[in-house]
Amino acid sequence: MEIKRLTAAITQEGKWYVARCLEVEVTSQGHSIEEAISNLKEALELYFEDEEHPRINASPIIAPVEVNMAI
């Protein structure tokens, strides 16, 4: 068994926290950040269980971006 460190981006959408893995297209949600991460971990483990040769994109570069918004 191999352990792989992946990156999760977490946003709040209404009452839910949504956790999205940035290296593979897997997303989950929960009522708290901890629950969303736990659910994402479970979803990722199920995803990789079904993949014979999983494709994991390179680790993303996370950077802030400032944009002008007309209000």
Side-chain angles (χ1 to χ4, degrees), residues 1-70:
M1 181 177 294
E2 179 183 352
I3 294 177
K4 179 75 175 166
R5 176 169 280 195
L6 302 171
T7 309
I10 302 160
T11 56
Q12 187 170 10
E13 297 182 18
K15 296 180 181 180
W16 294 95
Y17 287 93
V18 177
R20 180 173 57 96
C21 180
L22 300 182
E23 289 84 4
V24 295
E25 295 293 324
V26 176
T27 302
S28 195
Q29 64 185 16
H31 289 290
S32 66
I33 293 172
E34 294 78 15
E35 183 180 27
I37 292 171
S38 177
N39 290 342
L40 179 61
K41 180 180 175 183
E42 181 179 347
L44 285 165
E45 289 172 347
L46 290 170
Y47 172 80
F48 288 126
E49 184 177 282
D50 292 340
E51 292 290 316
E52 187 172 326
H53 300 288
R55 291 185 61 187
I56 299 175
N57 297 327
S59 294
I61 297 170
I62 307 297
V65 177
E66 292 183 15
V67 297
N68 293 319
M69 299 177 66

